[in-house]
Amino acid sequence: MEYGDRPISFRRNTATKSMKLLQILLHCGENGIARAKLLENLYGREELADVSNNLRVTSHRLKKMLVDAGLPEYDYIQIKSGIYRWNAPMEAEVDALMFSHLVELGKAETDEEKKIQYFCQACETYHGEFLPGLSGEDWVLLESVQYKKKYTYALEEICDYMIKQREYETVLKLCDTASELYPFDEWQSVQVDCLMALNRYKEAIQIYEDTAKLFFEELGISPSEKMMNQFKEMSAKMSHKPQAINEIKGGLKEDEEEDGAFYCNLPSFRDGYRLVRRIIERSGQSVYLMLCTITDGKGHPMENKDKLTAMSDELYYAVKHCLRRGDSFTKYSPTQFLILLVGTNQENCGMIFNRISRYFAREHKSWEQHLEYYVSSIADVENDKSRISFRSNGFHWD
C-alpha cells in the first residue's frame, strides 16, 4: 500500500484478521460485500462463540491500525443494509481491480489497436498470483484462477496481433515476464517462434533446453509436442548454416574447467547413458546406475518443500564433490538424483554412497537418515532385473 508517495507499513500486523479484512474490503471495491459472505471469507471454518463480536473487534483494530500506519483519522468501514464497504476520504486504486477493468475494456473495444493497448496495460499491471499470502483461502484461490485466465486471454490476444505485425521484440519481452510468472505454461514456445522468425536460432535452442531441463527436473515430463517439433525445426535450420571449425570447437568446450562430477539435464543424461551403453558392449567395462533419494527419515518421500529444497541443493553439491570428473549425474525428480558410475564395481558403489552421505550430512548429522540409495549395473537395467528401468525417452523408478 502507498498513501500519496509514501509506502504504508503495518509492521508485524500483516498476517492478522485485521489485515485480511482490509484486503477483502479493498478488493470488493464500491460493490462491497454482504455480511454473511464477509464472515465466511474472514473466518472460514473457525468455530467462534460470538462471531459478531469478533467482527466488531477486528473492524476496530483495523481502523486503529490504519491510523497508526499514517492514514488520517476516519471511519474506514461503511456498513449499510448489511453490506460492508471500504470508505475513505481519498480515492483508492487497487491493482487487481484495475487489471480486471482493463481486460474488460479490451474485450469490449472494437478498434483493434485500442483493444491491444488495453490488454498491454492490463498485462503491465498484472504481477502474478493474487494474494499469495492467503493462497490457502477458498475465495482467494477462486479469484486467483479467474485473474490468471484473464491474463492468459489478454496475453494471447497481444501475441497473435503483435506477431502478425512482426513486432517480435515486444512479444519476447511480454513472454519473458509470463515465463517467470508461470514457467510451466509454455510461454517459452511463443518466444521460440519469435526468435526463429528473427533467425536467432542459438537463443531459441537455449530457451528450449532450459525449458526441457525445468520440466524434467521439476515435473519429470518432457515439454509439449509443439516444443519438440520446434526444436527439430531449429536443429534442421542450424545444420544448414556453415560454421568455421573454431566456432564449432568453441561451442563444444565447457565454459570453464570444473572439478567433480559432470551435471547435465535429464535429456542429456539419457543420451550419455545410451552412448556409454554402446561403448561397454565392446569394452566390457563395468558401469552402474545409482539413485539417491531424499526421504522424511522413515522411508517416505520428503514432503516439506522448504526442507526438501535445502536438502536437494546440498545433495547436488555432495554428489558433485564426491565423484570423479568422468562420472555424470542429473536431477531425476525433486527428491532424487541419478548417477552414472563408470569403471566401478558393486562394493565400491556402497563406499561411494557412504562418502556422499557423510558429505551431505557434514553440517546436519541428522540428515544422514534422510538419504537412501539404490544401485544397479547397466547390464541388469537392460535385462529388466532392476527397479530402475529405461523405456522410451526416460528413466523410470518402480
Side-chain angles (χ1 to χ4, degrees):
M1 286 184 68
E2 291 181 351
Y3 177 44
D5 297 326
R6 183 166 57 85
I8 298 297
S9 172
F10 295 102
R11 299 185 179 88
R12 299 179 182 178
N13 296 318
T14 54
T16 63
K17 284 287 190 292
S18 299
M19 177 58 71
K20 191 186 291 189
L21 174 60
L22 173 62
Q23 291 170 319
I24 292 171
L25 292 173
L26 285 171
H27 183 252
C28 289
E30 60 185 24
N31 293 327
I33 181 171
R35 183 176 182 278
K37 187 67 176 175
L38 174 60
L39 291 173
E40 180 186 335
N41 290 351
L42 194 57
Y43 298 106
R45 299 178 183 86
E46 295 180 35
E47 293 185 8
L48 301 171
D50 190 346
V51 177
S52 297
N53 185 59
N54 274 273
L55 181 55
R56 280 194 297 272
V57 172
T58 300
S59 300
H60 176 73
R61 285 176 178 167
L62 172 57
K63 294 171 187 176
K64 185 177 185 304
M65 190 173 78
L66 291 168
V67 174
D68 290 345
L71 270 67
E73 290 268 2
Y74 203 77
D75 188 8
Y76 287 96
I77 303 173
Q78 181 191 77
I79 308 170
K80 191 174 182 180
S81 302
I83 303 296
Y84 285 68
R85 291 183 180 86
W86 171 255
N87 181 46
M90 74 291 287
E91 182 184 355
E93 291 185 354
V94 182
D95 59 351
L97 301 183
M98 289 168 58
F99 163 77
S100 193
H101 179 61
L102 287 165
V103 173
E104 295 308 315
L105 287 174
K107 287 182 177 180
E109 181 58 61
T110 55
D111 183 275
E112 196 70 16
E113 287 190 14
K114 288 183 180 179
K115 177 194 290 284
I116 298 304
Q117 286 176 7
Y118 282 130
F119 286 151
C120 284
Q121 290 176 45
C123 289
E124 288 172 6
T125 306
Y126 189 84
H127 297 295
E129 185 182 357
F130 175 67
L131 294 181
L134 299 178
S135 58
E137 306 281 341
D138 289 345
W139 75 272
V140 173
L141 178 61
L142 292 172
E143 292 290 345
S144 185
V145 169
Q146 293 306 312
Y147 281 128
K148 184 185 175 184
K149 283 183 179 178
K150 290 180 179 181
Y151 174 69
T152 301
Y153 174 83
L155 189 51
E156 285 176 345
E157 290 288 309
I158 295 170
C159 290
D160 288 345
Y161 177 81
M162 294 291 186
I163 288 173
K164 288 175 184 175
Q165 303 298 315
R166 300 181 182 274
E167 296 187 34
Y168 301 117
E169 294 291 350
T170 302
V171 176
L172 284 170
K173 185 177 179 181
L174 287 167
C175 288
D176 189 51
T177 301
S179 296
E180 290 182 14
L181 294 175
Y182 302 112
F184 301 112
D185 285 6
E186 290 204 356
W187 290 107
Q188 300 93 331
S189 180
V190 182
Q191 289 180 289
V192 167
D193 279 338
C194 291
L195 289 169
M196 289 172 66
L198 293 168
N199 294 321
R200 289 156 57 179
Y201 298 111
K202 283 186 178 180
E203 293 174 64
I205 287 176
Q206 187 62 56
I207 285 179
Y208 171 82
E209 290 180 345
D210 291 343
T211 305
K213 177 181 177 182
L214 177 72
F215 273 59
F216 268 104
E217 291 187 353
E218 298 298 327
L219 302 179
I221 61 174
S222 302
S224 67
E225 192 68 28
K226 180 184 177 183
M227 285 204 78
M228 302 286 277
N229 290 334
Q230 284 177 319
F231 181 72
K232 291 176 184 175
E233 187 179 343
M234 287 183 286
S235 299
K237 290 183 177 179
M238 286 286 285
S239 65
H240 293 148
K241 179 183 174 183
Q243 292 178 297
I245 188 66
N246 287 337
E247 184 181 347
I248 295 172
K249 285 166 62 180
L252 291 173
K253 284 183 63 178
E254 289 187 64
D255 292 336
E256 56 184 55
E257 289 286 324
E258 286 188 2
D259 293 329
F262 179 72
Y263 179 82
C264 46
N265 60 40
L266 191 52
S268 298
F269 186 87
R270 177 197 64 202
D271 293 337
Y273 169 90
R274 288 173 172 171
L275 177 60
V276 168
R277 189 185 66 188
R278 289 188 178 201
I279 291 172
I280 64 172
E281 286 176 0
R282 286 194 173 187
S283 69
Q285 197 171 16
S286 175
V287 181
Y288 282 81
L289 274 172
M290 178 183 289
L291 188 71
C292 290
T293 303
I294 300 169
T295 73
D296 62 358
K298 299 178 182 179
H300 305 296
M302 171 67 72
E303 293 183 355
N304 184 319
K305 289 186 178 180
D306 293 336
K307 193 171 184 179
L308 176 58
T309 298
M311 285 185 165
S312 183
D313 290 344
E314 194 59 39
L315 183 55
Y316 167 89
Y317 290 113
V319 173
K320 188 168 183 61
H321 175 82
C322 295
L323 298 182
R324 304 162 299 181
R325 281 173 54 83
D327 298 320
S328 61
F329 70 109
T330 189
K331 192 172 185 178
Y332 173 64
S333 74
T335 60
Q336 297 173 307
F337 280 80
L338 194 57
I339 306 167
L340 192 62
L341 301 167
V342 179
T344 189
N345 56 42
Q346 184 85 38
E347 182 182 350
N348 284 339
C349 286
M351 295 169 60
I352 290 168
F353 173 75
N354 289 335
R355 193 160 65 237
I356 292 171
S357 182
R358 285 195 301 272
Y359 191 91
F360 172 72
R362 68 193 186 284
E363 293 184 9
H364 308 281
K365 297 301 180 184
S366 64
W367 281 19
E368 203 161 5
Q369 66 184 1
H370 290 277
L371 203 59
E372 296 182 356
Y373 85 105
Y374 178 82
V375 69
S376 178
S377 71
I378 283 187
D380 287 341
V381 171
E382 295 304 311
N383 292 328
D384 293 329
K385 295 180 181 179
S386 169
R387 291 173 69 190
I388 302 174
S389 58
F390 184 77
R391 300 191 300 269
S392 183
N393 284 328
F395 288 96
H396 299 268
W397 169 246
D398 299 322

